[in-house]
Amino acid sequence: MDKYNVTGMSCSACSASVEKAVKKVIGIDSCTVSLLTNSMTVEGHADPKTVIEAVEKAGYGASLMTGEDRKNVGKKQAADADELNNHAALHKMKVRLIASIVLLIPLMYISMGHMMWGWPLPAIISDNHVAMGLIQMLFAIAIMVVNQKFFINGFKGVIHGAPGMDTLVALGSGASFIYSTYVLFAMTDAVMRQDNDRVMTLMHDFYFESAAMILALITVGKTLEEYSKGRTTDALKGLMKLAPKTALVLRDGEEQEVAAEDVVVGEVFIVRPGSSVPVDGVVIEGNSAVDESALSGESLPVDKAEGDKVSAATINKSGYLKCRATRVGTDTTLSQIIEMVSDAAATKAPIAKIADKVSGIFVPAVLICSLITIIVWIIAGESTGFVLARGISVLVISCPCALGLATPVAVMVGNGVGAKQGILFKNAAALEMTGKTDVVVLDKTGTITNGTPEVVDVVPGNGYSETDLLTFAASLEQYSEHPIGKAIMEYVGQKWIKPQKIEDFQVLPGNGLRCRLSSEAVSQNERGFCAGQNHSQISDHILLGGNGKFISQYVTLSEADKTLAEELASQGKTPIYLAIDENKLIGILAVADTIKEDGILAIKELKEMNYSVVMLTGDNAKTAEAIGKQAGVDRVIADVLPDGKEVVVRELMKEHRVIMVGDGINDAPALTRADIGMAIGAGTDVAIDAADVVLMREGLRTVPAAIRLSMATIRNIKENLFWAFIYNIIGIPLAAGVWYPMFGWKLNPMFGAFAMSLSSFCVVMNALRLNFVKIYVNNSKYRIHQKMVSKNVEGNNKIEKETGTMNKTVYIEGMMCGHCEARVKKAFEALPQVTEAEVSHEKKQAVLTLSGELSDKEIKNTVKEAGYKVTSIK
């Protein structure tokens, strides 16, 4: 896919002409031209030179964008930002506008002031009508020279067979000027004949002021439009300006300040408190809180420690960080976001197809309407001035620009709003389709849940001890990359248990693991291993681990084992079976993954928006149903292998429009298959590449937020298209004088030009309203009246009850600053029972407003996980 800069376009008819010309080139598969960004995206294998020649033959200019141009980074960033805001074009427009107004004021004074309001004229011309006409003509010529661009572009379009808005303006203004010039010569002849009555009659037929006023008013509208269009790119320009200009790097053991684009991969850089991170990297020393709101929209700082990733343009709020650069220049997260937002703005939403079709024939249709209007009024016997005024009014009131801008300005603003909130749409089609879906499919691990499970139960069997079971588990899982494997290794590490050496390690996707204990395994004396077996007995044994379906192929499970597994699964835990020698069960480990702090709220929001929510997981049905019930989803599909997710999505798409949300490599096929694939930004690069929408925040609440933004953008586009169409549908008949015989309504060409000049401006201003759309809703709305599920400790029975409100004061040790307050507040308000948490590090307390029962143990655990200690609870 190649991108081009296109110059010379002024309206949607121009962009339609460029598209039409390029699509005729052999080897072009598709072509999309954006009037808003003056860019063109081309897919195919045609030579760029041939594409550029096709654009030039159509009467416009084109140049191929380089990789640097497309990503807008490095040394060109500031220049690109200014260019994007179109300062140069806006400055030229302002100069034209000021010059036009300065010249227009005396012209209007001479042409209309003395006639309408009796304003005095200089004595030398007060009774010299030829002189008055000549002065008007000179002022009109000056204004036409100032605005010569309309005539150059307009007649160039006619020559190339692609008339546009400039053609309509040029014809309207030019016709007024030519007719007025003819009247001036006729008046000169009448003066020579001393026919004063004829002179006075002709005096009222001067349209020099109309010729000039049309140009001036259109320039007013184009200036406002240019300014407003610059506002639509504020978000993208803001992203461009976020990148730090310098970086503090360690070279030869000394700190050196260098340009950010000069940092190389692998180089160590320093980020002091208050400074911005210059490039993407990983922390190798230090601890701090980093403000990532510029990229994710998340207002609370994120704690960073050794091994954590940092991104360019984020701000170090407190500690000292030493980092190693991993991605620089065009590869940083910021640069990729900029490119994604820019590319999305240059694409077209499917809803724009109607406007594109109309724009392609709009100008020729208006020219025909103008010609028919003139012919009809001539046949009706009206005066030449009346006939000309009607024809010119039709030309100058018609506005193809409003149609052409209706979609791209809304897409640009919508993408900008999304980028500020950590929601990135890859193209306009994704932005449109997101709001038209009706089913949301959520992957469980890493999407609904945190993806960091913990071992919560250890149940050995068949004479094996807990140490035996954990040693077997550690041996089997030591090379596993699965989150459950990592959880098991973390747990056994806390027990100071080391794994045995193994051979022939195999991963069976979606099922389990298999390996053989190495003959080099340490002896029983060193490990106390396997219930008293000696070294010769434990080496070369086969170890197996996995879910019940997998393990039952090798081991006959007792009813007690099955009952235990079902009980664990009913509690939302995942039972992991371990067996030895393919015939003997060693025991069961239960692993639990917690639901993301905002997952329940996000799912509740989706259901209130009339979305059906489906959870996909490879877990067994019992565990999946328990987690699904906690999360509040409508449907749970369990025991799904990685390649089965795509099949499930495909089946759902037969009757629904589907959003698939995931974060892992195994989600990529399903993300690609779905109508809209959403990748959690903290997920893998593969998932992000496969998705249509990238959610930079880890929380699920960005899913309903993205849907709301899509709905608001599409609603805005429809409003723009409606007003653009209705404006022309009402305006053209009015300008043509259709209502004149019945109501006496007629439109002066100047008012037609004024209406045309404001139509595009109004469309752009309507699109800017998207900046005020609230895509997130108040959390408390979902907490105050919700039911909570608590556990009866003795019987493990679930008791569901309506909750009132109560307060608890928690005294906390270790909070030192406002960041500590924010961390504790966030941890408490993630609990479904907490409606509000007021935290003060000075008073060393947190006052909790509760909508349901919350045990002291849960409170202490919550504070402990946040890194602090509870001293007392009242």
Side-chain angles (χ1 to χ4, degrees), residues 571-610:
Q571 298 171 16
K573 302 172 184 178
T574 301
I576 305 298
Y577 297 83
L578 286 104
I580 190 168
D581 290 337
E582 300 187 357
N583 59 16
K584 192 173 185 181
L585 187 70
I586 303 171
I588 300 174
L589 295 179
V591 178
D593 190 3
T594 56
I595 296 175
K596 285 187 176 181
E597 57 189 37
D598 65 349
I600 296 174
L601 302 182
I603 292 168
K604 190 172 182 66
E605 288 180 42
L606 288 169
K607 292 173 72 172
E608 288 196 356
M609 295 165 68
N610 295 320

mmCIF file of all heavy atoms in Angstrom, residues 571-610:
data_model
loop_
_atom_site.group_PDB
_atom_site.id
_atom_site.type_symbol
_atom_site.label_atom_id
_atom_site.label_comp_id
_atom_site.label_asym_id
_atom_site.label_seq_id
_atom_site.Cartn_x
_atom_site.Cartn_y
_atom_site.Cartn_z
ATOM 1 N N GLN A 571 -16.251 -23.426 42.035
ATOM 2 C CA GLN A 571 -15.782 -22.244 42.757
ATOM 3 C C GLN A 571 -14.962 -21.318 41.863
ATOM 4 O O GLN A 571 -14.342 -20.370 42.331
ATOM 5 C CB GLN A 571 -14.929 -22.680 43.953
ATOM 6 C CG GLN A 571 -15.686 -23.511 44.970
ATOM 7 C CD GLN A 571 -14.766 -24.116 46.022
ATOM 8 O OE1 GLN A 571 -13.619 -23.697 46.174
ATOM 9 N NE2 GLN A 571 -15.265 -25.102 46.755
ATOM 10 N N GLY A 572 -14.941 -21.593 40.564
ATOM 11 C CA GLY A 572 -14.211 -20.746 39.619
ATOM 12 C C GLY A 572 -12.741 -21.056 39.554
ATOM 13 O O GLY A 572 -11.952 -20.258 39.041
ATOM 14 N N LYS A 573 -12.349 -22.228 40.062
ATOM 15 C CA LYS A 573 -10.947 -22.633 40.042
ATOM 16 C C LYS A 573 -10.710 -23.619 38.902
ATOM 17 O O LYS A 573 -11.610 -24.356 38.516
ATOM 18 C CB LYS A 573 -10.557 -23.274 41.379
ATOM 19 C CG LYS A 573 -10.774 -22.365 42.579
ATOM 20 C CD LYS A 573 -10.567 -23.102 43.887
ATOM 21 C CE LYS A 573 -10.878 -22.214 45.083
ATOM 22 N NZ LYS A 573 -10.734 -22.943 46.386
ATOM 23 N N THR A 574 -9.491 -23.630 38.388
ATOM 24 C CA THR A 574 -9.143 -24.550 37.304
ATOM 25 C C THR A 574 -8.341 -25.714 37.874
ATOM 26 O O THR A 574 -7.225 -25.521 38.363
ATOM 27 C CB THR A 574 -8.304 -23.837 36.227
ATOM 28 O OG1 THR A 574 -9.051 -22.755 35.707
ATOM 29 C CG2 THR A 574 -7.935 -24.791 35.111
ATOM 30 N N PRO A 575 -8.900 -26.927 37.849
ATOM 31 C CA PRO A 575 -8.156 -28.079 38.367
ATOM 32 C C PRO A 575 -7.134 -28.576 37.341
ATOM 33 O O PRO A 575 -7.456 -28.772 36.170
ATOM 34 C CB PRO A 575 -9.249 -29.126 38.606
ATOM 35 C CG PRO A 575 -10.367 -28.750 37.697
ATOM 36 C CD PRO A 575 -10.277 -27.269 37.466
ATOM 37 N N ILE A 576 -5.893 -28.776 37.794
ATOM 38 C CA ILE A 576 -4.820 -29.308 36.953
ATOM 39 C C ILE A 576 -4.421 -30.673 37.503
ATOM 40 O O ILE A 576 -3.992 -30.804 38.658
ATOM 41 C CB ILE A 576 -3.588 -28.372 36.954
ATOM 42 C CG1 ILE A 576 -3.992 -26.957 36.531
ATOM 43 C CG2 ILE A 576 -2.504 -28.927 36.033
ATOM 44 C CD1 ILE A 576 -4.551 -26.859 35.134
ATOM 45 N N TYR A 577 -4.600 -31.704 36.680
ATOM 46 C CA TYR A 577 -4.281 -33.076 37.089
ATOM 47 C C TYR A 577 -2.822 -33.380 36.747
ATOM 48 O O TYR A 577 -2.316 -32.968 35.709
ATOM 49 C CB TYR A 577 -5.162 -34.080 36.353
ATOM 50 C CG TYR A 577 -6.632 -33.952 36.629
ATOM 51 C CD1 TYR A 577 -7.401 -33.026 35.935
ATOM 52 C CD2 TYR A 577 -7.264 -34.783 37.554
ATOM 53 C CE1 TYR A 577 -8.767 -32.914 36.169
ATOM 54 C CE2 TYR A 577 -8.629 -34.691 37.790
ATOM 55 C CZ TYR A 577 -9.378 -33.750 37.100
ATOM 56 O OH TYR A 577 -10.716 -33.648 37.326
ATOM 57 N N LEU A 578 -2.147 -34.155 37.636
ATOM 58 C CA LEU A 578 -0.797 -34.630 37.357
ATOM 59 C C LEU A 578 -0.753 -36.140 37.519
ATOM 60 O O LEU A 578 -1.303 -36.691 38.491
ATOM 61 C CB LEU A 578 0.226 -33.978 38.288
ATOM 62 C CG LEU A 578 0.512 -32.516 37.919
ATOM 63 C CD1 LEU A 578 -0.198 -31.595 38.884
ATOM 64 C CD2 LEU A 578 1.993 -32.234 37.903
ATOM 65 N N ALA A 579 -0.118 -36.811 36.570
ATOM 66 C CA ALA A 579 -0.033 -38.278 36.601
ATOM 67 C C ALA A 579 1.385 -38.707 36.278
ATOM 68 O O ALA A 579 2.167 -37.959 35.680
ATOM 69 C CB ALA A 579 -1.019 -38.883 35.604
ATOM 70 N N ILE A 580 1.728 -39.942 36.671
ATOM 71 C CA ILE A 580 3.049 -40.493 36.400
ATOM 72 C C ILE A 580 2.893 -41.825 35.682
ATOM 73 O O ILE A 580 1.998 -42.625 35.993
ATOM 74 C CB ILE A 580 3.858 -40.655 37.717
ATOM 75 C CG1 ILE A 580 5.306 -40.999 37.416
ATOM 76 C CG2 ILE A 580 3.222 -41.667 38.647
ATOM 77 C CD1 ILE A 580 6.215 -40.884 38.628
ATOM 78 N N ASP A 581 3.759 -42.021 34.710
ATOM 79 C CA ASP A 581 3.799 -43.267 33.937
ATOM 80 C C ASP A 581 2.479 -43.587 33.249
ATOM 81 O O ASP A 581 2.147 -44.748 33.012
ATOM 82 C CB ASP A 581 4.199 -44.445 34.836
ATOM 83 C CG ASP A 581 5.668 -44.348 35.249
ATOM 84 O OD1 ASP A 581 6.427 -43.674 34.516
ATOM 85 O OD2 ASP A 581 6.029 -44.911 36.287
ATOM 86 N N GLU A 582 1.669 -42.540 32.969
ATOM 87 C CA GLU A 582 0.447 -42.686 32.188
ATOM 88 C C GLU A 582 -0.553 -43.647 32.817
ATOM 89 O O GLU A 582 -1.409 -44.208 32.139
ATOM 90 C CB GLU A 582 0.772 -43.138 30.750
ATOM 91 C CG GLU A 582 1.666 -42.160 30.014
ATOM 92 C CD GLU A 582 1.840 -42.534 28.554
ATOM 93 O OE1 GLU A 582 1.310 -43.575 28.143
ATOM 94 O OE2 GLU A 582 2.501 -41.775 27.835
ATOM 95 N N ASN A 583 -0.447 -43.889 34.135
ATOM 96 C CA ASN A 583 -1.427 -44.798 34.737
ATOM 97 C C ASN A 583 -1.717 -44.493 36.202
ATOM 98 O O ASN A 583 -2.538 -45.174 36.817
ATOM 99 C CB ASN A 583 -0.976 -46.254 34.616
ATOM 100 C CG ASN A 583 0.372 -46.515 35.287
ATOM 101 O OD1 ASN A 583 0.834 -45.711 36.091
ATOM 102 N ND2 ASN A 583 0.985 -47.646 34.959
ATOM 103 N N LYS A 584 -1.054 -43.509 36.778
ATOM 104 C CA LYS A 584 -1.226 -43.257 38.203
ATOM 105 C C LYS A 584 -1.355 -41.760 38.474
ATOM 106 O O LYS A 584 -0.469 -40.982 38.127
ATOM 107 C CB LYS A 584 -0.036 -43.827 38.973
ATOM 108 C CG LYS A 584 -0.253 -43.870 40.486
ATOM 109 C CD LYS A 584 0.906 -44.595 41.152
ATOM 110 C CE LYS A 584 0.649 -44.742 42.643
ATOM 111 N NZ LYS A 584 1.772 -45.428 43.329
ATOM 112 N N LEU A 585 -2.462 -41.368 39.092
ATOM 113 C CA LEU A 585 -2.698 -39.961 39.418
ATOM 114 C C LEU A 585 -1.906 -39.561 40.653
ATOM 115 O O LEU A 585 -1.963 -40.248 41.690
ATOM 116 C CB LEU A 585 -4.195 -39.722 39.661
ATOM 117 C CG LEU A 585 -4.619 -38.264 39.843
ATOM 118 C CD1 LEU A 585 -4.487 -37.514 38.527
ATOM 119 C CD2 LEU A 585 -6.058 -38.191 40.359
ATOM 120 N N ILE A 586 -1.140 -38.477 40.539
ATOM 121 C CA ILE A 586 -0.341 -37.996 41.663
ATOM 122 C C ILE A 586 -1.170 -37.074 42.547
ATOM 123 O O ILE A 586 -1.057 -37.090 43.760
ATOM 124 C CB ILE A 586 0.900 -37.227 41.161
ATOM 125 C CG1 ILE A 586 1.726 -38.109 40.239
ATOM 126 C CG2 ILE A 586 1.729 -36.719 42.319
ATOM 127 C CD1 ILE A 586 2.831 -37.355 39.541
ATOM 128 N N GLY A 587 -2.017 -36.248 41.897
ATOM 129 C CA GLY A 587 -2.830 -35.305 42.651
ATOM 130 C C GLY A 587 -3.378 -34.205 41.753
ATOM 131 O O GLY A 587 -3.247 -34.246 40.529
ATOM 132 N N ILE A 588 -3.979 -33.227 42.403
ATOM 133 C CA ILE A 588 -4.625 -32.117 41.683
ATOM 134 C C ILE A 588 -4.147 -30.795 42.267
ATOM 135 O O ILE A 588 -4.085 -30.633 43.497
ATOM 136 C CB ILE A 588 -6.160 -32.205 41.796
ATOM 137 C CG1 ILE A 588 -6.666 -33.523 41.200
ATOM 138 C CG2 ILE A 588 -6.817 -31.018 41.107
ATOM 139 C CD1 ILE A 588 -8.161 -33.738 41.410
ATOM 140 N N LEU A 589 -3.800 -29.868 41.394
ATOM 141 C CA LEU A 589 -3.534 -28.484 41.781
ATOM 142 C C LEU A 589 -4.700 -27.638 41.287
ATOM 143 O O LEU A 589 -5.143 -27.783 40.145
ATOM 144 C CB LEU A 589 -2.242 -27.964 41.154
ATOM 145 C CG LEU A 589 -0.926 -28.619 41.567
ATOM 146 C CD1 LEU A 589 0.236 -27.979 40.816
ATOM 147 C CD2 LEU A 589 -0.709 -28.489 43.064
ATOM 148 N N ALA A 590 -5.200 -26.756 42.149
ATOM 149 C CA ALA A 590 -6.280 -25.845 41.738
ATOM 150 C C ALA A 590 -5.699 -24.452 41.550
ATOM 151 O O ALA A 590 -4.993 -23.932 42.425
ATOM 152 C CB ALA A 590 -7.388 -25.824 42.776
ATOM 153 N N VAL A 591 -5.967 -23.895 40.391
ATOM 154 C CA VAL A 591 -5.455 -22.568 40.050
ATOM 155 C C VAL A 591 -6.636 -21.635 39.798
ATOM 156 O O VAL A 591 -7.619 -22.019 39.141
ATOM 157 C CB VAL A 591 -4.569 -22.632 38.782
ATOM 158 C CG1 VAL A 591 -4.072 -21.246 38.406
ATOM 159 C CG2 VAL A 591 -3.382 -23.554 39.029
ATOM 160 N N ALA A 592 -6.569 -20.420 40.315
ATOM 161 C CA ALA A 592 -7.656 -19.446 40.126
ATOM 162 C C ALA A 592 -7.100 -18.167 39.519
ATOM 163 O O ALA A 592 -6.012 -17.723 39.888
ATOM 164 C CB ALA A 592 -8.341 -19.149 41.455
ATOM 165 N N ASP A 593 -7.850 -17.621 38.590
ATOM 166 C CA ASP A 593 -7.489 -16.354 37.943
ATOM 167 C C ASP A 593 -8.549 -15.318 38.310
ATOM 168 O O ASP A 593 -9.749 -15.575 38.168
ATOM 169 C CB ASP A 593 -7.441 -16.546 36.426
ATOM 170 C CG ASP A 593 -6.830 -15.345 35.719
ATOM 171 O OD1 ASP A 593 -6.400 -14.406 36.416
ATOM 172 O OD2 ASP A 593 -6.803 -15.347 34.482
ATOM 173 N N THR A 594 -8.126 -14.167 38.779
ATOM 174 C CA THR A 594 -9.083 -13.145 39.223
ATOM 175 C C THR A 594 -9.588 -12.317 38.053
ATOM 176 O O THR A 594 -8.865 -12.055 37.092
ATOM 177 C CB THR A 594 -8.432 -12.202 40.257
ATOM 178 O OG1 THR A 594 -7.242 -11.636 39.679
ATOM 179 C CG2 THR A 594 -8.068 -12.965 41.513
ATOM 180 N N ILE A 595 -10.849 -11.905 38.154
ATOM 181 C CA ILE A 595 -11.445 -11.058 37.113
ATOM 182 C C ILE A 595 -10.859 -9.661 37.223
ATOM 183 O O ILE A 595 -10.628 -9.152 38.325
ATOM 184 C CB ILE A 595 -12.978 -11.019 37.279
ATOM 185 C CG1 ILE A 595 -13.549 -12.412 37.065
ATOM 186 C CG2 ILE A 595 -13.611 -10.046 36.298
ATOM 187 C CD1 ILE A 595 -15.033 -12.514 37.326
ATOM 188 N N LYS A 596 -10.624 -9.019 36.090
ATOM 189 C CA LYS A 596 -10.063 -7.665 36.082
ATOM 190 C C LYS A 596 -10.968 -6.716 36.859
ATOM 191 O O LYS A 596 -12.193 -6.866 36.860
ATOM 192 C CB LYS A 596 -9.892 -7.160 34.648
ATOM 193 C CG LYS A 596 -8.713 -7.798 33.934
ATOM 194 C CD LYS A 596 -8.472 -7.159 32.580
ATOM 195 C CE LYS A 596 -7.230 -7.746 31.918
ATOM 196 N NZ LYS A 596 -6.957 -7.142 30.608
ATOM 197 N N GLU A 597 -10.365 -5.749 37.490
ATOM 198 C CA GLU A 597 -11.080 -4.883 38.414
ATOM 199 C C GLU A 597 -12.271 -4.174 37.782
ATOM 200 O O GLU A 597 -13.257 -3.879 38.447
ATOM 201 C CB GLU A 597 -10.118 -3.852 39.021
ATOM 202 C CG GLU A 597 -9.395 -2.995 38.002
ATOM 203 C CD GLU A 597 -8.308 -2.154 38.646
ATOM 204 O OE1 GLU A 597 -7.643 -2.654 39.577
ATOM 205 O OE2 GLU A 597 -8.135 -1.015 38.227
ATOM 206 N N ASP A 598 -12.205 -3.892 36.476
ATOM 207 C CA ASP A 598 -13.341 -3.210 35.850
ATOM 208 C C ASP A 598 -14.097 -4.124 34.886
ATOM 209 O O ASP A 598 -14.956 -3.678 34.141
ATOM 210 C CB ASP A 598 -12.890 -1.955 35.116
ATOM 211 C CG ASP A 598 -11.980 -2.266 33.942
ATOM 212 O OD1 ASP A 598 -11.540 -3.423 33.828
ATOM 213 O OD2 ASP A 598 -11.707 -1.353 33.141
ATOM 214 N N GLY A 599 -13.766 -5.437 34.913
ATOM 215 C CA GLY A 599 -14.389 -6.364 33.975
ATOM 216 C C GLY A 599 -15.887 -6.490 34.179
ATOM 217 O O GLY A 599 -16.675 -6.461 33.222
ATOM 218 N N ILE A 600 -16.321 -6.646 35.444
ATOM 219 C CA ILE A 600 -17.745 -6.799 35.741
ATOM 220 C C ILE A 600 -18.505 -5.540 35.332
ATOM 221 O O ILE A 600 -19.598 -5.608 34.752
ATOM 222 C CB ILE A 600 -17.950 -7.104 37.238
ATOM 223 C CG1 ILE A 600 -17.310 -8.451 37.588
ATOM 224 C CG2 ILE A 600 -19.426 -7.095 37.600
ATOM 225 C CD1 ILE A 600 -17.331 -8.790 39.065
ATOM 226 N N LEU A 601 -17.908 -4.376 35.614
ATOM 227 C CA LEU A 601 -18.568 -3.116 35.250
ATOM 228 C C LEU A 601 -18.712 -2.987 33.741
ATOM 229 O O LEU A 601 -19.753 -2.553 33.231
ATOM 230 C CB LEU A 601 -17.769 -1.925 35.806
ATOM 231 C CG LEU A 601 -17.544 -1.890 37.316
ATOM 232 C CD1 LEU A 601 -16.796 -0.634 37.699
ATOM 233 C CD2 LEU A 601 -18.864 -1.964 38.053
ATOM 234 N N ALA A 602 -17.638 -3.348 33.017
ATOM 235 C CA ALA A 602 -17.668 -3.227 31.555
ATOM 236 C C ALA A 602 -18.733 -4.134 30.955
ATOM 237 O O ALA A 602 -19.479 -3.733 30.045
ATOM 238 C CB ALA A 602 -16.293 -3.573 30.978
ATOM 239 N N ILE A 603 -18.826 -5.359 31.459
ATOM 240 C CA ILE A 603 -19.826 -6.297 30.944
ATOM 241 C C ILE A 603 -21.232 -5.802 31.259
ATOM 242 O O ILE A 603 -22.140 -5.902 30.429
ATOM 243 C CB ILE A 603 -19.580 -7.705 31.531
ATOM 244 C CG1 ILE A 603 -18.271 -8.269 30.957
ATOM 245 C CG2 ILE A 603 -20.742 -8.646 31.241
ATOM 246 C CD1 ILE A 603 -17.771 -9.512 31.652
ATOM 247 N N LYS A 604 -21.423 -5.227 32.442
ATOM 248 C CA LYS A 604 -22.731 -4.667 32.799
ATOM 249 C C LYS A 604 -23.093 -3.509 31.860
ATOM 250 O O LYS A 604 -24.236 -3.373 31.417
ATOM 251 C CB LYS A 604 -22.712 -4.196 34.251
ATOM 252 C CG LYS A 604 -24.086 -3.828 34.801
ATOM 253 C CD LYS A 604 -24.010 -3.562 36.282
ATOM 254 C CE LYS A 604 -25.379 -3.234 36.863
ATOM 255 N NZ LYS A 604 -26.313 -4.351 36.802
ATOM 256 N N GLU A 605 -22.110 -2.673 31.537
ATOM 257 C CA GLU A 605 -22.352 -1.579 30.594
ATOM 258 C C GLU A 605 -22.774 -2.110 29.232
ATOM 259 O O GLU A 605 -23.714 -1.605 28.609
ATOM 260 C CB GLU A 605 -21.083 -0.721 30.442
ATOM 261 C CG GLU A 605 -20.760 0.143 31.643
ATOM 262 C CD GLU A 605 -19.504 0.964 31.412
ATOM 263 O OE1 GLU A 605 -19.334 1.499 30.307
ATOM 264 O OE2 GLU A 605 -18.685 1.059 32.332
ATOM 265 N N LEU A 606 -22.070 -3.134 28.761
ATOM 266 C CA LEU A 606 -22.384 -3.714 27.447
ATOM 267 C C LEU A 606 -23.802 -4.268 27.424
ATOM 268 O O LEU A 606 -24.539 -4.093 26.442
ATOM 269 C CB LEU A 606 -21.373 -4.818 27.109
ATOM 270 C CG LEU A 606 -19.958 -4.361 26.748
ATOM 271 C CD1 LEU A 606 -19.014 -5.544 26.697
ATOM 272 C CD2 LEU A 606 -19.953 -3.625 25.406
ATOM 273 N N LYS A 607 -24.198 -4.934 28.493
ATOM 274 C CA LYS A 607 -25.543 -5.507 28.540
ATOM 275 C C LYS A 607 -26.604 -4.406 28.590
ATOM 276 O O LYS A 607 -27.684 -4.549 28.012
ATOM 277 C CB LYS A 607 -25.663 -6.446 29.739
ATOM 278 C CG LYS A 607 -24.791 -7.707 29.584
ATOM 279 C CD LYS A 607 -24.767 -8.552 30.825
ATOM 280 C CE LYS A 607 -26.082 -9.258 31.056
ATOM 281 N NZ LYS A 607 -25.984 -10.230 32.175
ATOM 282 N N GLU A 608 -26.297 -3.308 29.270
ATOM 283 C CA GLU A 608 -27.236 -2.188 29.290
ATOM 284 C C GLU A 608 -27.338 -1.520 27.925
ATOM 285 O O GLU A 608 -28.323 -0.845 27.623
ATOM 286 C CB GLU A 608 -26.826 -1.166 30.352
ATOM 287 C CG GLU A 608 -27.067 -1.652 31.767
ATOM 288 C CD GLU A 608 -27.024 -0.533 32.784
ATOM 289 O OE1 GLU A 608 -26.734 0.622 32.390
ATOM 290 O OE2 GLU A 608 -27.277 -0.798 33.968
ATOM 291 N N MET A 609 -26.316 -1.700 27.106
ATOM 292 C CA MET A 609 -26.344 -1.176 25.733
ATOM 293 C C MET A 609 -26.979 -2.191 24.768
ATOM 294 O O MET A 609 -26.887 -2.040 23.557
ATOM 295 C CB MET A 609 -24.912 -0.848 25.283
ATOM 296 C CG MET A 609 -24.261 0.278 26.067
ATOM 297 S SD MET A 609 -22.451 0.368 25.822
ATOM 298 C CE MET A 609 -22.382 0.865 24.096
ATOM 299 N N ASN A 610 -27.607 -3.235 25.343
ATOM 300 C CA ASN A 610 -28.295 -4.276 24.569
ATOM 301 C C ASN A 610 -27.338 -5.160 23.765
ATOM 302 O O ASN A 610 -27.713 -5.669 22.699
ATOM 303 C CB ASN A 610 -29.353 -3.669 23.637
ATOM 304 C CG ASN A 610 -30.476 -3.014 24.409
ATOM 305 O OD1 ASN A 610 -30.920 -3.533 25.431
ATOM 306 N ND2 ASN A 610 -30.940 -1.869 23.938
#
